[in-house]
Amino acid sequence: MALYEGIALIQEKQAVVLDLGSEYTKFGFTGEAAPRCIIRSQFWCSTERRFKKVYEYSTPEELYDNLVNMLHLLYFRHVLVNPKERKVVVVESLLTPTLFRETLAKVLFTHYEVSGAVWADSPRMCAMTLGAPVTLVVSLGAREAEVAAVVHSCVVLRAVQAQPLGAAAVRAELLHLLRQDCGPDLHLPDHVLEDITVKTCFVSPRARALRWQSDSPPEPARSVRYPLARLGAVCVSGRARELAAEPLFRRDNELASLPDIVLQCIMQCPIDVRRALAANVLLTGGAASLPGLRARLSQELAHLCTLPPYSSRLRLGEFKFHRAPAHDMSCAWLGGALCGAGEAGGGAGGGRLLSRDVYCRERRLRDWVNLLDNTPPHHPQRDHLDLTL
């Protein structure tokens, strides 16, 4: 046996990083700058003879089968590695349902028999790519927008905000505008609407958006023709291109627009970190790639700070936005790759690692909403929690 082959057998192999989103999945190895694959979160279901999404389930058993098929696609078609030889870093949202987390752990440890796994929340992983002590992470995913404040590697849980203002809201508004221009009978699948949004849509400045709401609208942008396989082509007007992203900034009585939840998150944080949060905003997610979004969000935030209820509680300076050293879609994945490579090479997280032996004994995961995991060992109520939970 050659010397380098013996060293390769002794060394622990790189862990894999899994970011299983509702629309796209990022998968790759720790220590690398980008995922090995970014694919849709779907697989070919042989029983139903169609492509089925991972999050399309009605029972825990169906979710288990979906995750088994999805991970088989990732491990054996896209990266070609043995799951038993690699630890896993799972990057997830803070609002991931408990059923999904526990089912994923069951699939990893019992079906694929991975040796260990680390569950890492996406806000801290995004902040890790910057190296800043205080970061305000604004994540625009496929379905919802999440805003979380990361202060010295800790997420301020009481300040986390979430609203259904993701890419799905932009696609729904785009379809509504296209039907106004092309007729109410226009039907386009989600992947076509997504492609139209990426290739043609942009976010207007605040002054121009206000003119669209007035009696004297501005001169619209140039219209474009989007070719379709069977319908020939659809005309995307300049008005539809500009106004598709307006639902993100549309205010209502509940103050649930994207700028509102950003300011509400800052208000819920300690007063001594609010200026630092405003100066370290990180916009991530697939919908964050829309041209003009950062400039428009900065303008809206500066304007809302002069209105109640924020004018009496916030004294913020200028809002500054960071650019992560990765694509907006894979920022959280890159943080997971750094987390997994930071300790013991491929050891994937050191003390936070959940080994397969420990999981097989306890059959439970640590969760920030569980008092048993958040109560210190010497707390007077700890014994009572051990008995009740």
Side-chain angles (χ1 to χ4, degrees), residues 256-272:
S257 67
L258 179 61
D260 279 299
I261 63 175
V262 172
L263 294 178
Q264 290 167 17
C265 178
I266 296 177
M267 280 200 309
Q268 296 295 325
C269 293
I271 191 172
D272 57 332

Side-chain angles (χ1 to χ4, degrees), residues 22 41-43 45 48 50-59 61-67 100 143:
S22 57
S41 300
Q42 62 184 20
F43 59 93
C45 181
E48 301 181 16
R50 66 182 180 90
F51 283 101
K52 185 176 181 180
K53 294 184 177 181
V54 176
Y55 287 81
E56 185 180 342
Y57 63 92
S58 56
T59 62
E61 292 76 16
E62 186 178 3
L63 174 60
Y64 183 91
D65 294 337
N66 291 353
L67 291 173
F100 191 90
R143 302 184 183 276

Side-chain angles (χ1 to χ4, degrees), residues 11-84:
Q11 283 183 337
E12 191 170 6
K13 296 184 178 180
Q14 286 178 297
V16 295
V17 184
L18 171 64
D19 186 357
L20 191 59
S22 57
E23 289 290 340
Y24 287 92
T25 294
K26 283 74 70 177
F27 196 67
F29 297 104
T30 58
E32 296 188 355
R36 288 294 181 94
C37 64
I38 300 178
I39 62 173
R40 291 188 178 272
S41 300
Q42 62 184 20
F43 59 93
W44 176 256
C45 181
S46 58
T47 58
E48 301 181 16
R49 306 296 299 172
R50 66 182 180 90
F51 283 101
K52 185 176 181 180
K53 294 184 177 181
V54 176
Y55 287 81
E56 185 180 342
Y57 63 92
S58 56
T59 62
E61 292 76 16
E62 186 178 3
L63 174 60
Y64 183 91
D65 294 337
N66 291 353
L67 291 173
V68 168
N69 291 323
M70 187 67 195
L71 290 178
H72 185 275
L73 179 68
L74 294 171
Y75 274 113
F76 300 108
R77 177 171 296 183
H78 290 282
V79 297
L80 301 177
V81 295
N82 186 358
K84 298 181 181 180

